[in-house]
Amino acid sequence: MINLKEIERIYIYQYGKVGSCTLLKTLKRHHSNVHHTHLFEKNMLLNNTLIVNVVRNLYDRNISAFFQNINAKKYPSWYYCPKKDNEKIKMKHLMNHYKKVNIEHLKSDINTWYERFNNHLKTDIFDKKFNFQDKYSLYTSNNRTILTLRYEDISEWTNILGKIFNLKINLLNNNLTVKKPTYQLYIDFKKQYKYSEEECHL
């Protein structure tokens, strides 16, 4: 159990598309000093810091990240558009594009993300198995606490977080794919896309 009154700051620190915006919105109702980031910040090393990390099946996560940024030119690695502005997106072309950028993404970022996480925080969250019974794990290191959750358990986060903090928690959903204009294309893509052997073994 974690007493939030004894925690000076909370960092929701993870890669994207794992429900972190929902956590941010939810925890801000219970603590005045909550931060959300995908990158390490030095203040994470201060005492009495709670770091919340969420993991997610990468096959689902990467497709979700792709559709989050499919129209965002500021993220060129994921960005995709037809050759002509009025051309309808063709699934075959979209899948070929995704395969290429997903391999690059896995090699350059995702596969080394937790190595950097552990190095920066001077810990190793893999030194013990995840607690699948409680559906969360706690790690303590240098007067800091790391809480790890799974995105796949998001429907149970209300109860899980309630037990962890001994509070009545109401999950406030945010940044949901279902509310975005690309949602139907996202669903169709997930039904049709088959991961290549190269992607599975990176």
Side-chain angles (χ1 to χ4, degrees):
M1 187 180 298
I2 298 173
N3 185 349
L4 286 181
K5 293 181 180 179
E6 297 177 354
I7 298 294
E8 293 186 19
R9 65 199 63 79
I10 299 173
Y11 275 93
I12 302 169
Y13 173 34
Q14 70 305 294
Y15 44 64
K17 299 310 295 178
V18 294
S20 53
C21 290
T22 291
L23 270 180
L24 175 68
K25 192 173 181 180
T26 299
L27 292 180
K28 275 190 169 183
R29 297 189 66 181
H30 301 278
H31 200 282
S32 61
N33 192 9
V34 185
H35 308 268
H36 174 252
T37 180
H38 303 310
L39 303 172
F40 171 74
E41 296 183 16
K42 289 184 178 179
N43 282 349
M44 293 178 187
L45 299 178
L46 297 175
N47 290 337
N48 300 321
T49 298
L50 171 63
I51 297 168
V52 184
N53 176 256
V54 186
V55 297
R56 182 180 182 182
N57 175 333
L58 280 183
Y59 298 110
D60 289 336
R61 181 268 166 195
N62 286 2
I63 291 176
S64 182
F66 176 58
F67 278 89
Q68 165 84 12
N69 301 302
I70 193 170
N71 295 318
K73 292 183 179 181
K74 64 179 180 178
Y75 297 113
S77 61
W78 287 126
Y79 177 68
Y80 175 83
C81 68
K83 293 181 179 179
K84 298 179 181 179
D85 291 340
N86 61 350
E87 182 183 350
K88 185 178 180 180
I89 291 178
K90 294 181 180 179
M91 186 63 71
K92 182 179 178 180
H93 295 166
L94 190 64
M95 289 193 291
N96 287 338
H97 174 73
Y98 174 79
K99 178 182 177 181
K100 178 182 177 181
V101 298
N102 187 46
I103 289 172
E104 294 173 355
H105 187 58
L106 286 167
K107 287 180 177 178
S108 65
D109 187 26
I110 292 298
N111 285 355
T112 59
W113 198 92
Y114 274 103
E115 180 181 344
R116 297 192 299 273
F117 178 94
N118 284 328
N119 287 340
H120 286 312
L121 297 179
K122 299 175 174 47
T123 189
D124 183 1
I125 64 171
F126 302 115
D127 64 357
K128 66 177 182 179
K129 291 183 179 180
F130 183 83
N131 188 332
F132 288 98
Q133 181 176 344
D134 293 337
K135 299 184 178 178
Y136 71 90
S137 284
L138 288 174
Y139 309 83
T140 55
S141 176
N142 301 315
N143 206 24
R144 295 185 301 277
T145 299
I146 301 173
L147 165 64
T148 298
L149 302 166
R150 296 194 321 155
Y151 175 85
E152 287 76 13
D153 300 318
I154 193 170
S155 64
E156 301 178 60
W157 280 3
T158 293
N159 293 329
I160 295 169
L161 294 172
K163 291 178 182 178
I164 293 170
F165 300 123
N166 194 28
L167 292 170
K168 184 177 180 180
I169 300 287
N170 292 314
L171 204 63
L172 303 176
N173 292 318
N174 195 24
N175 196 27
L176 299 178
T177 303
V178 68
K179 294 184 177 181
K180 297 179 180 179
T182 56
Y183 178 67
Q184 189 55 54
L185 182 62
Y186 165 76
I187 293 299
D188 293 341
F189 185 94
K190 285 188 68 176
K191 288 179 180 178
Q192 297 182 48
Y193 189 76
K194 304 297 182 184
Y195 272 92
S196 66
E197 187 173 338
E198 182 179 5
E199 289 169 283
C200 292
H201 292 89
L202 278 174

